[in-house]
Amino acid sequence: MHAGVVYLSGQIAAPGEDVAVQTRAVLNAIDTLLQEAGSDRAHLLQATIWLSDMADFPVMNEIWEKWLTDVKAPARATGEVKLASPDYKIEILVTAALR
């Protein structure tokens, strides 16, 4: 946290699950970490999403949009990268303001 802004480094889920399971787990972890820092998803400013395969974008995006149903979506960039292990399907970094 710095100057009223929370920076979460890349969040990953347990390796080996499909992108839907990993996406839900990462978003749950982000909810928990934001809460601990004094923020929440309604205060998201920016998100960067790394996918190991852009073919997973539609599945990830549907879960992402449902996660943000009741709040304004932050600025977001999504790209395909080689993650630390082929068993990781997604990594998400977020920046949020304090409540």
Side-chain angles (χ1 to χ4, degrees):
M1 182 172 16
H2 175 74
V5 179
V6 178
Y7 300 89
L8 295 185
S9 62
Q11 302 299 307
I12 56 173
E17 299 290 344
D18 66 25
V19 73
V21 171
Q22 288 191 23
T23 300
R24 287 185 189 97
V26 168
L27 295 176
N28 287 336
I30 288 171
D31 276 334
T32 299
L33 292 168
L34 289 174
Q35 179 72 28
E36 290 173 3
S39 188
D40 56 40
R41 69 180 90 152
H43 291 83
L44 287 173
L45 303 171
Q46 185 271 335
T48 302
I49 301 174
W50 299 123
L51 293 170
S52 63
D53 185 343
M54 282 304 286
D56 289 333
F57 181 85
V59 171
M60 175 283 300
N61 197 55
E62 180 178 346
I63 295 165
W64 173 262
E65 288 179 354
K66 286 180 183 175
W67 185 65
L68 295 171
T69 298
D70 56 343
V71 299
K72 185 175 179 181
R76 180 186 84 181
T78 305
E80 180 178 303
V81 299
K82 184 176 179 180
L83 296 171
S85 164
D87 292 329
Y88 294 114
K89 307 297 182 196
I90 186 167
E91 181 174 346
I92 302 177
L93 302 82
V94 299
T95 304
L98 292 177
R99 281 186 240 140

